[in-house]
Structure formats: structure tokens, C-alpha cells
Amino acid sequence: MAGQADNRAPYAKIAAHYTELIESGQLPPGSLLPSIKNLAEEWSVSTATAEKALRKLRNEGLVRGIHGIGTEVLDRPSSMSSGSQRQDRGRRTGSSWGSGERSDSHQAAVVPAPPEVAQALGIDPQSDVIRRRRVYRDRHGIVAHSTSWIPAQYGRLIPQLANSERLTGGTSLQLISEVTGLPISHRIDSASARLLTAEDAQLLELDSENPPAEPVVVMTAKFIDSEGNVVEYGVDLGGPGRTWRTESEVSQ
């Protein structure tokens, strides 16, 4: 949640700061970052730490080094997040949005469960489920169209889940955990790619009669509570040109 201590290494904090400025548009393409010396002085770190922060930004494709000039901000769409990454981000910051993102087009309804959704949730096909939809955007356009499928029983406990507006008081997972007293114990994520159908194109606000020929990333996430109940199944349909990336530390 917001206000938690930031235990990241100094170089990672510096890189995260400039990632936020870049992806929010506060540092537009073509801008120059401070020099290694100036970064070190500003953040009270060694020049080695400052250089490591810039290297991290270069490795992420956010900037490039130009000999004799400095470190320049590049223009590129940000990658999309998996359901688990959004959950982690929400727990750390109180918001599931990525840097520079916003969400709109919030819609909710109680609908019959499609076969693949029923299978994921472990319920009978055509059983009532809550379908919550929203679109994540950044300055480049649609990052992903996101759909959360939630068993209808939770809507009886939390009526706002079926309302077409942003949730208040927490994410759907947080609200469900609070009302049931059961924490989310684990999640199952998958990533794949597929060609856009006419329906997909419509969700991504594209021409449904002539959808792009390139495949898009599709992320799914299944969230399970401590008693083994599947409380939510999420499907994120990536916008054209969006990629998915993850990062982890390697110990040797």
C-alpha cells in the first residue's frame, strides 16, 4: 500500500524515478537526463551507482547514450502488465496503474459465463458471473483491454462489483478478501499471442472489418483464496505493438 518503506537499491530508486517521469510524459522523447556526475550529486550516491541507474534505463529501452551529448529519452510504447504485476503494483502503491497510465470505459454487468470462463472459475457454463471491463491507456494509446470475471456470489456480498464505475475502497481482490476474511493465497498467470478477431478489434477500438494482421499479447490471471476458491479470472488483451516484459534479480 502507499506509504510502505522503499527497500530497493539506490540505483533502482533512481531508475524508477526517471521511468515514472518518462512514461508519464514529464520527460518527453528527446529530453536529456542529467549526467552521471550530476545524478550522483543530486541523489548523494557514487558515480558507479548513478551509472548503474542509467544502464538500467538503457537496458529497458527507455533511453540511449549519445557520445559527447548525454543520455536521451526514447519514444516507445510501454509494455503491458500481467494480472499478477498489477496486483503487486496495487499492493505496493495503492493503484494498479502503470506509470503514465489511466483507465476509462469502465463497464460491469452480470452475464452468463462463457465456457472458457466457467472452466477457469470452476463453475457450470452459463452460470451468472460478474464481468468487469476497463481500458488501460497511456500517451501512446491503448495498453490493454482488461476484463475481470468474478463469480456472482461475491456480487451479493459486494454490490458495487456489478456497478459500471471505478471501485472504491480497494481493488476487487482486496474487497473480496475483506468481506470473506480469506486472503488471496496464490495466482496462476499465462501469456500467449493470438490474431485479433472482429470482437477483439472492437474492444481495442480498431476497425473490426480490417483488424491488424499482427498477433497481440493475451495475458490471463487466475486468483485463488486460502481455501482454494477461484475468486477472479482476468483476461488482458494487449493493444497492437504492445509487448510484455518481466524482470527479476539473478543470484550467483
Side-chain angles (χ1 to χ4, degrees), residues 175-189:
L175 293 172
I176 291 171
S177 291
E178 288 173 5
V179 77
T180 62
L182 301 173
I184 305 302
S185 61
H186 62 289
R187 63 208 178 195
I188 300 171
D189 292 87

Side-chain angles (χ1 to χ4, degrees), residues 51-245:
E51 198 285 327
K52 190 173 182 181
L54 292 180
R55 187 187 316 134
K56 178 174 172 60
L57 293 172
R58 290 196 301 271
N59 289 341
E60 293 179 353
L62 294 172
V63 301
R64 65 171 178 168
I66 304 177
H67 183 69
I69 296 179
T71 302
E72 180 188 46
V73 175
L74 295 174
D75 188 20
R76 70 172 184 92
S78 62
S79 57
M80 60 182 291
S81 303
S82 67
S84 60
Q85 289 169 321
R86 291 193 184 280
Q87 184 193 25
D88 287 340
R89 188 185 297 139
R91 185 170 57 245
R92 290 196 315 270
T93 69
S95 172
S96 64
W97 297 344
S99 297
E101 280 186 4
R102 67 186 189 280
S103 65
D104 57 33
S105 304
H106 290 252
Q107 298 178 359
V110 177
V111 299
E116 68 277 10
V117 171
Q119 182 177 10
L121 294 175
I123 61 178
D124 292 332
Q126 301 300 306
S127 297
D128 282 350
V129 291
I130 299 169
R131 184 187 65 199
R132 295 189 58 82
R133 287 177 164 174
R134 82 288 293 167
V135 176
Y136 289 100
R137 306 176 194 268
D138 64 12
R139 61 191 178 86
H140 290 278
I142 291 182
V143 178
H145 181 281
S146 182
T147 304
S148 297
W149 302 89
I150 303 169
Q153 68 210 52
Y154 297 111
R156 292 188 284 273
L157 299 173
I158 312 167
Q160 70 164 316
L161 289 177
N163 294 336
S164 295
E165 57 189 33
R166 289 191 181 93
L167 297 175
T168 59
T171 66
S172 55
L173 294 170
Q174 290 169 333
L175 293 172
I176 291 171
S177 291
E178 288 173 5
V179 77
T180 62
L182 301 173
I184 305 302
S185 61
H186 62 289
R187 63 208 178 195
I188 300 171
D189 292 87
S190 71
S192 60
R194 76 170 185 232
L195 295 175
L196 289 172
T197 64
E199 181 182 359
D200 292 337
Q202 192 170 29
L203 293 176
L204 293 173
E205 300 173 8
L206 302 169
D207 183 355
S208 59
E209 295 185 2
N210 296 286
E214 298 78 14
V216 297
V217 177
V218 181
M219 308 290 300
T220 71
K222 188 159 61 171
F223 297 94
I224 303 168
D225 70 20
S226 57
E227 289 192 353
N229 303 302
V230 181
V231 301
E232 185 171 316
Y233 176 62
V235 181
D236 281 5
L237 180 67
R242 300 288 175 165
T243 59
W244 172 68
R245 67 183 299 275

